[in-house]
Amino acid sequence: LRVLAEGEFYRVGGQESIRVDVRVIAATNQDLEQKIVDGSFREDLYYRLNVVHLRVPTLRERREDIAMLLQHYLRKSARELRSEEKTLHGETLEKLSQYDWPGNVRQLINVCRRLTALAPGREILPADLPEEFSTGGSAAERWTQDLSAWAEQQLGLGHTELLQTAQPEFERALIRAALKRSGGKRIEAAKLLGWGRNTLTRKIRELELE
């Protein structure tokens, strides 16, 4: 903390203050504000680091970049592996563009290397894609499919009043997502959900999300 705040430190056992002139760049995929609330990250450290805050959007939030990145890393992979540069069939590109890429650009790079090494032809076909691309879809497609599967399973088990079970969980998920997007600002989160602030406050209390 002393180094970050004042630009100086003492060696272990030393008595002379040493000044440094450095810049610190810190990156994380964790919600540090929530970790401060949880007590698992130091608040004073957070505010010393959080001078210029840049949020890098996930790959699924900037799908327009996916085609360009695929082309770039397929070309780079071909050079690294001393292989013929491969191209993407139109349907293949569509599948890759709709995929959610939970591992972001690192995952995309690894997929390009795998396809360069293993795809049999010069043009990469949908059948050449790893299993996660053929069985999955976009998040928008998967959640409705998963919900339908859950409902059919519950009905098959003889359960009724499914809406009373599903709706609170549905609302909890939406509220958490909106609060995360808004940085915890309730007025902004309420607008994202199409609610008034009082409605959001009441829902948070009812759903025990305080």
Side-chain angles (χ1 to χ4, degrees):
L1 294 177
R2 184 182 183 89
V3 173
L4 293 173
E6 302 176 18
E8 61 182 28
F9 67 96
Y10 290 90
R11 287 194 180 98
V12 176
Q15 297 180 346
E16 181 181 350
S17 174
I18 300 175
R19 294 200 59 80
V20 292
D21 181 13
V22 297
R23 293 182 181 180
V24 176
I25 300 175
T28 182
N29 61 359
Q30 303 296 309
D31 185 346
L32 295 185
E33 292 182 347
Q34 182 59 49
K35 285 189 171 294
I36 291 171
V37 174
D38 297 341
S40 57
F41 194 87
R42 289 186 58 161
E43 185 174 14
D44 49 2
L45 175 58
Y46 173 76
Y47 287 115
R48 281 172 171 80
L49 289 171
N50 191 27
V51 179
V52 178
H53 185 181
L54 300 177
R55 178 184 176 274
V56 180
T58 61
L59 200 50
R60 63 178 174 272
E61 296 177 88
R62 47 190 175 103
R63 296 186 187 277
E64 66 276 8
D65 293 344
I66 292 176
M68 175 187 67
L69 289 169
L70 287 167
Q71 182 181 24
H72 171 75
Y73 284 110
L74 282 172
R75 185 182 303 118
K76 185 175 181 180
S77 296
R79 289 198 303 268
E80 291 175 349
L81 299 173
R82 298 181 182 179
S83 174
E84 182 181 35
E85 182 180 335
K86 300 193 174 182
T87 60
L88 295 169
H89 185 275
E91 188 177 342
T92 308
L93 178 58
E94 178 67 19
K95 280 183 173 291
L96 294 174
S97 297
Q98 292 303 314
Y99 184 66
D100 278 346
W101 298 101
N104 288 303
V105 176
R106 173 55 57 190
Q107 182 185 13
L108 182 144
I109 294 171
N110 290 338
V111 167
C112 287
R113 287 173 176 164
R114 187 194 308 185
L115 292 172
T116 298
L118 300 179
R122 187 175 186 277
E123 185 178 48
I124 300 171
L125 303 175
D128 299 325
L129 293 176
E131 184 178 354
E132 60 263 31
F133 296 96
S134 58
T135 58
S138 67
E141 295 170 335
R142 288 199 307 274
W143 84 266
T144 53
Q145 294 170 357
D146 291 344
L147 180 61
S148 296
W150 173 82
E152 291 174 6
Q153 179 193 49
Q154 295 298 305
L155 292 171
L157 295 171
H159 296 165
T160 58
E161 300 181 352
L162 299 189
L163 190 59
Q164 293 184 21
T165 301
Q167 185 168 337
E169 294 303 323
F170 179 73
E171 291 182 344
R172 284 189 184 97
L174 293 180
I175 290 170
R176 288 191 183 105
L179 287 170
K180 183 176 181 180
R181 170 65 64 177
S182 68
K185 299 179 179 66
R186 292 192 178 186
I187 293 178
E188 185 178 338
K191 289 179 181 178
L192 292 173
L193 294 168
W195 288 344
R197 187 182 187 281
N198 290 339
T199 300
L200 176 60
T201 300
R202 175 173 56 82
K203 287 287 187 181
I204 288 174
R205 184 174 61 253
E206 290 175 353
L207 298 170
E208 299 179 350
L209 287 171
E210 291 288 0

